[in-house]
Amino acid sequence: NGFCTDAGCSCYPGYQGDACENSICPNLCSSHGSCGRRGCTCLKGFGGDDCSIHLNAVRERTAAITAPVISTPGVVLQGAPYSTHEADI
């Protein structure tokens, strides 16, 4: 993870410690990024400290949760008719 001399060790990017034994890139960037001196640099579409978060999947889930549903009486939404009558619900 680096090279050592009598003067000490010089670590490769992504490693630190007295003998370069510690990775500063958790999970080696989950194979979705590269490890540098400051941690992971994620590929496009991935994020998080270890590049394990698929951003498109997060965006899709967030959109599904936060998207407003606008209903009009009598219009079929997701296969079920909307009704303003309690007896029909």
Side-chain angles (χ1 to χ4, degrees):
N1 302 329
F3 58 92
C4 299
T5 64
D6 290 338
C9 293
S10 180
C11 301
Y12 294 136
Y15 292 92
Q16 62 186 3
D18 293 338
C20 305
E21 71 277 12
N22 300 319
S23 174
I24 60 171
C25 298
N27 299 319
L28 297 175
C29 305
S30 304
S31 299
H32 299 297
S34 60
C35 189
R37 294 197 184 277
R38 296 184 179 167
C40 293
T41 300
C42 300
L43 296 173
K44 184 177 180 179
F46 293 90
D49 290 342
D50 65 352
C51 302
S52 64
I53 299 171
H54 191 271
L55 298 177
N56 290 334
V58 170
R59 194 174 302 124
E60 289 167 8
R61 281 194 301 265
T62 304
I65 293 169
T66 60
V69 177
I70 301 170
S71 300
T72 304
V75 174
V76 176
L77 296 176
Q78 298 178 2
Y82 174 82
S83 176
T84 55
H85 303 285
E86 286 185 19
D88 295 335
I89 295 177

